[in-house]
Amino acid sequence: TASLIMKGLRTLPLRMEKEQANGAAVAAYLASLPFINKLHYPALPGHPQVELAQKQMSGFGSLFSFESGHSAEKLKAFADELRYFRIGFSWGGYESLITVQQAASGSPRAGVPVVRLYIGLEDPEDLIADLSRAFRLCGFQ
């Protein structure tokens, strides 16, 4: 186990850099869509905490979420149409993941459906094409 951990740690900085670049590309694509009401990714210009995030963080990672105003059922149907994204919670791997949840009951957005994405090492153009295809198939406008 220790040798596998050491082997993985050697490439961790390179993987994190690639995942962060991929995450930024996918987040920029999502920010351009008219039906995305709220994108929770502090690296984007216009995010209410972009300045704070830039002061506190040296990178922004590839885990973020969005809200669209669509029902949880429609968002789950969208997630089911994706080919590159697996449905799951195991953030930190090499593959892209998606999950659809309701915002936590104690939060100001309680009950709002939220799509959480983890962007992995796949080509961001492939991920964006996959998202675009699934949005189109599910009738997002």
Side-chain angles (χ1 to χ4, degrees):
T1 300
S3 67
L4 289 175
I5 290 171
M6 290 303 298
K7 186 176 182 180
L9 285 175
R10 289 185 189 119
T11 61
L12 181 62
L14 295 172
R15 288 182 283 128
M16 293 302 296
E17 186 178 312
K18 175 69 172 157
E19 288 174 357
Q20 181 172 294
N22 290 356
V26 173
Y29 160 73
L30 291 171
S32 74
L33 300 175
F35 52 83
I36 300 295
N37 296 344
K38 192 166 191 131
L39 181 60
H40 304 280
Y41 188 65
L44 292 174
H47 188 280
Q49 294 182 319
V50 67
E51 290 179 22
L52 176 64
Q54 289 171 340
K55 286 180 188 175
Q56 293 181 344
M57 301 164 67
S58 61
F60 297 97
S62 65
L63 176 63
F64 53 89
S65 63
F66 70 84
E67 300 168 23
S68 71
H70 292 284
S71 69
E73 293 76 25
K74 186 166 184 170
L75 292 168
K76 287 177 182 181
F78 154 76
D80 286 340
E81 290 293 338
L82 294 167
R83 294 179 180 158
Y84 280 90
F85 290 81
R86 303 180 100 194
I87 296 173
F89 293 93
S90 181
W91 319 122
Y94 60 87
E95 71 277 348
S96 293
L97 301 172
I98 187 169
T99 186
V100 178
Q101 302 171 300
Q102 302 287 334
S105 61
S107 79
R109 309 211 37 91
V112 174
V114 176
V115 177
R116 185 159 297 158
L117 297 169
Y118 172 77
I119 306 302
L121 296 174
E122 302 90 349
D123 187 316
E125 291 179 17
D126 291 337
L127 298 175
I128 290 168
D130 191 28
L131 290 164
S132 178
R133 184 190 60 75
F135 282 135
R136 190 176 57 255
L137 286 172
C138 291
F140 283 70
Q141 306 276 345

